[in-house]
Amino acid sequence: MAGPIKAQQAGQISEPRVEVIKLKRDLGVFGSFSIGFADVGADIYVALGLVLFFAGGAAPLALAIAALGYIFTALSYAELASAIPMAGGASIFAREAFDDFWGFVAGWGLLLDYTIDIALFGWITMGYLGSFLANLGMAGVPYVGALSGLNSINAPGSPSYTFQAVGTIALCIILMALNYIGIRESANLNIALSIISIISEAALLLAGFALVWSLPTFIHNITQLGSGVSWTSFGWGITVAMVSFIGLESISQAAEETRRPDRTIPRSTKALIVAVMLAGLLLCTLAVGLPTMSPSTLGTTYQNDPVTGVAKGISMGLIPSNPLVALLPLWVGLLGVLMLLMSTNTGVIGASRVTYSMSRHKIMPVWFSKLHPKYRVPTRTIVIFSLASIGFVLFVWFMGTYKLSHEDPTIILGDLYNYGALVSFMLVNLSLIMLRNKRPELYRPYKSPFAFKVRAGDKRWVVPVLPLLGFFVCLFVWMLVLNLHEIGKIVGTLWFVAGIAMYLIYRRSQNLDWREHIPGTQVTHPDVAHELHPEIAHELKGRYESAIQKAGRKGKAAYHEILVPLSRPETVENIIDIACGLLEEGGRLHLMTAIAVPPQLPTQAAVMDDSASSLLMSAIDKAKRRGVNATAEAVTSRSVAEAIAQSAMGKRCDLIVMGSSQRTIAEKVLFGSIVDGVLRSAPCDVAVFSYTNDMKPIRYEKILVPTSGYLHATRALEVAITLQRKFKGSITSMYVSKKAESEEAEAILEGVNRMAQGSGVNHSAIFLAGNVADSIIKVAGEGKYDLIIIGATERPAYHKWLLGSTADEVVKRAPCNVLVVRMKK
């Protein structure tokens, strides 16, 4: 993650160019695999006890059903993450496939997942640590046995959750502090732990199956379904079994840091599927077939450290003199502590990755991703979501201590872990189906196998089979969670309700539509999709050529029907130039002049004079010389502004382009009453060309585009790009902040760079500190820009003007011509 961008003060402007720093691609196949295994591979250390508690001997069957959802969804992640290798995972995929709202929902579900990850895995870390220290005490190590209460089940009599809760909160605080000062996960450490874990689990399975496991015991236990194990309990078992596979988005979260993700991600994902499936199913099968320990014992006595319980069961089947009797539980307990500690830390890091991705696309406030000036980490996210995890720990401690629920704290946390992740998994599967149809040209180095075609109306849809099955399996498990888990249902729903309310309030405060994308930020758009894979960008650009041409016909801000009201002959040349530059190929200009009729005369009494006729003929000639189809008309009306708005509506125009002298602006009204009236009532976008007194033809060699990252500002950049595609000049995007360092600038300039990349336009970005209007005017003068294009905000109806104060100031004082763009309401 990049540090905050620094800027020069406005008084020392030298147009510093900004390069947005991207995550370094360092991970190979095993590094990518190890990140996934450090997260998903640790899940069985948590889930095994819960599945055995509910499903008993039928636990392998419950785990197998949940595994179907895991396999299908993991293959969806393999396709999407290798095609769109960006941090953000499910949030990015849903946003590209649908809109910003569903991108938020998917990301908010992941944030619940990561927040509960910290609490749940920290809680179970204490469980393994308590048992490990208890075993050390029994082996003769002094003092440590007193700490066995870190596992609440070790308490005499009924469980006491206080010691375990305190330990978990202390662990959350420690990890928060470590991440705050910049200590983050290392791929090398993950690789080492993954190797140790795989070898250790293989040794445990080998010892268990070779020395103790009993097939008759296994058959007896697994056939308890429907008799010893009720179908309701089995349903509970399926829901908690899903915990075994949550975290599979870890590989996609690191996709932006992966070398050749198109090759690496599918390979590492397939390897992870095999490793997790073997480890989880074999370990569960071993547990159910132990003659020395029943599934119910493992699910109760060892609920907080189930793999230690399996090791204990194996050691009970050995002769007392065998060194494995003491060593096996100790080693497995220590390994559980290490694996779960790493997975707990992954939750802290994962929350920051997801939040950073969401904030840079304006679906969460940029405030959340602010970097610490010294440690260069998103400290606000780390603190907020770590504290939220502590809140969940206190919540389950309170529920368990005062017996407000029959569910154990571990089960409540597992419910919530499922709730958020399953919502994200469903959206990932649906996103794959949508993107197969919305972006069929997208480079997909791996495709989830099997698909069929259906016709819906006039369109044929490609429906991949496995993502569809993955969606329904995840939906089935999620419905079980809603039906069976009372606490998880209530708290999980409240999490989403609060998040969606925050999202809607934020978007409204930013004058952003609650669903639409910020223009130019879609990374799968044919113009920029090749940049997702920089190593093969040149080949991919050729591959996307037909899609680019198809998209290019519409352009980023090209219009098919443009209305051009004319009033002064000196404005015609530049107005026609701008309108033709924005006109889509095959589009049409509607030239008009409006004749105002005084109230005392009937409208029929107005007559077009020679100057108006000459103006229209001159404009038609200029348009035709540019090869543009144009019509011309003169209209009479009591209100010129109303005539322009009605003409635009009648001709179904996409844009109105009109001029206004810069030097005749009243003190409190930006443009004259005609322009002001059009801005208020126009049924389409409006571009107002404010010109200087010396009306020389614009050269379009240099265009300055002030940007704020909001919708009106990105529309201004789209207009600039469309013009410069035709006039072959350069564009400079400019962001100004009162602060010399700004994380928001990084997110915004990354977005505008992405918009411009692939457009064929020479684009650069600058960031300055100072007063916004003063800085824009100073840069425009010193840089000798030919045109400023600025987006306009709309003010409430009780104002007499609609444009923002920055646009007001720029139009009044700019040393060059200004094009103000107002989007349709």
Side-chain angles (χ1 to χ4, degrees):
M1 191 181 298
I5 297 177
K6 295 185 178 180
Q8 295 186 9
Q9 297 295 324
Q12 304 172 334
I13 293 172
S14 59
E15 292 194 31
R17 289 319 191 248
V18 173
E19 293 289 337
V20 178
I21 302 171
K22 297 184 178 181
L23 294 171
K24 186 177 180 182
R25 295 187 182 273
D26 257 350
L27 297 175
V29 173
F30 202 75
S32 177
F33 165 83
S34 66
I35 283 179
F37 193 81
D39 198 357
V40 188
D43 288 347
I44 195 63
Y45 287 79
V46 176
L48 183 60
L50 299 177
V51 183
L52 289 168
F53 177 81
F54 289 111
L61 298 177
L63 201 65
I65 292 173
L68 291 175
Y70 165 67
I71 294 171
F72 300 149
T73 305
L75 293 176
S76 294
Y77 267 104
E79 175 174 331
L80 291 169
S82 59
I84 311 172
M86 294 190 67
S91 179
I92 285 288
F93 306 148
R95 186 178 177 277
E96 293 295 314
F98 301 105
D99 53 47
D100 279 10
F101 174 74
W102 291 110
F104 172 81
V105 171
W108 193 245
L110 282 181
L111 285 173
L112 176 59
D113 183 6
Y114 282 123
T115 304
I116 297 300
D117 178 288
I118 302 168
L120 175 60
F121 282 75
W123 184 270
I124 301 297
T125 299
M126 291 299 106
Y128 276 90
L129 182 60
S131 291
F132 172 71
L133 294 174
N135 288 328
L136 276 182
M138 287 187 289
V141 178
Y143 308 117
V144 295
L147 297 174
S148 65
L150 286 169
N151 185 333
S152 59
I153 294 176
N154 289 340
S158 61
S160 175
Y161 302 111
T162 302
F163 203 13
Q164 189 166 359
V166 170
T168 306
I169 291 170
L171 178 61
C172 291
I173 293 172
I174 291 169
L175 291 177
M176 179 176 68
L178 290 176
N179 281 275
Y180 192 98
I181 62 174
I183 295 178
R184 38 175 89 181
E185 70 179 339
S186 162
N188 291 333
L189 180 58
N190 281 343
I191 290 172
L193 278 176
S194 296
I195 292 173
I196 294 171
S197 178
I198 291 170
I199 293 174
S200 299
E201 288 182 22
L204 181 70
L205 292 169
L206 181 62
F209 279 109
L211 302 176
V212 180
W213 190 76
S214 167
L215 179 59
T217 302
F218 175 78
I219 294 174
H220 170 76
N221 287 330
I222 204 168
T223 54
Q224 296 294 306
L225 181 59
S227 56
V229 177
S230 70
W231 287 102
T232 300
S233 295
F234 184 69
W236 280 72
I238 293 173
T239 62
V240 294
M242 203 67 197
V243 174
S244 303
F245 307 116
I246 291 174
L248 57 90
E249 76 281 347
S250 301
I251 289 177
S252 71
Q253 290 292 354
E256 206 167 336
E257 301 159 79
T258 303
R259 292 193 303 269
R260 289 307 301 264
D262 53 331
R263 298 174 182 173
T264 300
I265 289 175
R267 295 173 184 173
S268 57
T269 301
K270 291 174 184 177
L272 183 64
I273 290 173
V274 173
V276 169
M277 290 294 298
L278 285 176
L281 289 176
L282 288 176
L283 192 57
C284 190
T285 301
L286 173 60
V288 172
L290 287 176
T292 55
M293 190 172 292
S294 68
S296 61
T297 302
L298 285 170
T300 52
T301 305
Y302 293 96
Q303 187 182 100
N304 285 341
D305 57 331
V307 183
T308 301
V310 172
K312 196 76 172 178
I314 294 172
S315 66
M316 289 169 63
L318 304 176
I319 59 174
S321 59
N322 192 319
L324 290 178
V325 171
L327 291 177
L328 204 56
L330 282 173
W331 175 246
V332 170
L334 178 61
L335 183 64
V337 171
L338 295 176
M339 288 292 293
L340 291 167
L341 183 62
M342 178 61 65
S343 193
T344 307
N345 194 47
T346 300
V348 181
I349 298 165
S352 64
R353 276 203 185 109
V354 173
T355 309
Y356 176 74
S357 173
M358 293 169 72
S359 63
R360 68 181 176 181
H361 291 120
K362 294 285 183 179
I363 56 179
M364 278 189 75
V366 176
W367 183 89
F368 279 98
S369 63
K370 178 178 173 59
L371 301 181
H372 191 280
K374 178 179 179 181
Y375 300 122
R376 299 294 188 259
V377 293
T379 51
R380 290 172 177 172
T381 298
I382 290 169
V383 171
I384 287 172
F385 288 100
S386 295
L387 291 178
S389 299
I390 292 173
F392 280 118
V393 172
L394 291 173
F395 172 72
V396 297
W397 167 82
F398 185 80
M399 297 293 288
T401 300
Y402 295 97
K403 309 299 181 186
L404 300 179
S405 170
H406 66 278
E407 296 181 9
D408 184 85
T410 308
I411 296 169
I412 296 174
L413 291 172
D415 296 345
L416 291 168
Y417 196 36
N418 273 328
Y419 193 110
L422 287 169
V423 170
S424 296
F425 290 174
M426 286 188 284
L427 284 171
V428 165
N429 286 305
L430 291 178
S431 296
L432 189 150
I433 297 171
M434 179 60 74
L435 284 171
R436 282 275 189 100
N437 295 276
K438 183 179 178 180
R439 296 280 188 241
E441 79 286 347
L442 190 67
Y443 172 53
R444 292 174 172 85
Y446 168 79
K447 279 190 174 184
S448 180
F450 313 117
F452 62 91
K453 295 181 179 179
V454 296
R455 181 173 292 278
D458 296 331
K459 186 174 181 180
R460 295 188 69 188
W461 283 74
V462 176
V463 182
V465 174
L466 298 188
L468 188 63
L469 293 175
F471 168 77
F472 282 116
V473 172
C474 291
L475 177 62
F476 169 70
V477 178
W478 191 67
M479 294 299 290
L480 285 177
V481 171
L482 292 181
N483 186 51
L484 298 173
H485 300 270
E486 194 68 32
I487 303 300
K489 173 175 64 177
I490 294 172
V491 178
T493 301
L494 287 174
W495 173 273
F496 276 95
V497 169
I500 290 171
M502 178 196 72
Y503 168 81
L504 294 175
I505 293 170
Y506 168 67
R507 296 285 283 203
R508 183 177 180 84
S509 72
Q510 303 298 311
N511 294 320
L512 298 174
D513 184 271
W514 67 284
R515 294 185 63 183
E516 291 181 6
H517 301 285
I518 302 297
T521 58
Q522 284 188 285
V523 297
T524 57
H525 191 280
D527 278 352
V528 296
H530 61 282
E531 294 163 9
L532 291 168
H533 302 273
E535 301 92 343
I536 52 173
H538 182 71
E539 298 95 308
L540 290 181
K541 196 168 185 179
R543 173 193 178 109
Y544 295 147
E545 186 173 353
S546 61
I548 292 171
Q549 290 172 351
K550 183 177 179 181
R553 282 197 292 272
K554 294 183 178 179
K556 285 183 178 289
Y559 300 89
H560 192 73
E561 305 285 342
I562 299 180
L563 180 67
V564 186
L566 301 169
S567 59
R568 300 178 64 174
E570 64 267 29
T571 69
V572 172
E573 188 75 33
N574 284 331
I575 290 289
I576 295 296
D577 249 1
I578 288 173
C580 290
L582 294 173
L583 192 66
E584 183 180 321
E585 184 180 345
R588 180 168 48 184
L589 291 185
H590 299 278
L591 309 171
M592 71 168 288
T593 184
I595 302 170
V597 182
Q600 64 271 25
L601 296 177
T603 55
Q604 297 87 345
V607 178
M608 182 170 64
D609 58 21
D610 290 342
S611 62
S613 176
S614 174
L615 183 65
L616 286 176
M617 295 301 294
S618 171
I620 281 278
D621 180 61
K622 293 179 188 302
K624 288 183 176 179
R625 279 193 280 112
R626 290 166 173 80
V628 170
N629 182 20
T631 66
E633 68 172 344
V635 298
T636 59
S637 175
R638 302 288 185 196
S639 167
V640 173
E642 183 180 340
I644 293 171
Q646 288 181 349
S647 181
M649 185 179 298
K651 294 177 173 61
R652 297 183 178 179
C653 291
D654 312 303
L655 176 70
I656 299 171
V657 178
M658 57 195 308
S660 179
S661 171
Q662 191 181 32
R663 305 307 180 193
T664 60
I665 303 170
E667 180 65 24
K668 292 188 178 181
V669 181
L670 175 59
F671 297 111
S673 59
I674 294 175
V675 177
D676 187 50
V678 172
L679 284 167
R680 271 183 281 162
S681 58
C684 57
D685 290 1
V686 181
V688 181
F689 179 63
S690 175
Y691 51 86
T692 56
N693 284 337
D694 54 336
M695 275 303 300
K696 299 176 182 178
I698 302 176
R699 293 173 296 174
Y700 297 103
E701 290 179 5
K702 297 180 69 178
I703 295 179
L704 181 65
V705 184
T707 185
S708 61
Y710 300 145
L711 209 55
H712 62 277
T714 51
R715 174 62 88 182
L717 180 56
E718 288 179 341
V719 168
I721 290 171
T722 303
L723 285 174
Q724 292 299 43
R725 274 176 167 166
K726 296 188 178 183
F727 296 107
K728 309 300 181 185
S730 66
I731 299 172
T732 301
S733 291
M734 177 182 182
Y735 180 78
V736 184
S737 172
K738 294 180 181 179
K739 300 178 181 178
E741 294 189 7
S742 173
E743 288 74 24
E744 182 165 307
E746 179 180 351
I748 289 171
L749 293 178
E750 181 181 8
V752 298
N753 278 332
R754 190 182 298 118
M755 281 183 66
Q757 288 169 354
S759 65
V761 172
N762 182 12
H763 176 266
S764 60
I766 62 176
F767 169 44
L768 299 174
N771 178 271
V772 178
D774 290 345
S775 299
I776 294 169
I777 292 162
K778 189 172 183 65
V779 168
E782 294 183 356
K784 296 182 179 179
Y785 284 89
D786 305 306
L787 180 67
I788 299 171
I789 301 181
I790 188 167
T793 59
E794 292 189 77
R795 294 183 180 178
Y798 54 80
H799 284 274
K800 290 185 178 180
W801 58 92
L802 295 176
L803 301 180
S805 58
T806 300
D808 297 353
E809 287 298 311
V810 171
V811 169
K812 292 175 185 176
R813 299 166 51 200
C816 60
N817 298 320
V818 181
L819 184 64
V820 181
V821 181
R822 191 225 73 178
M823 292 183 62
K824 177 184 175 182
K825 297 179 183 179

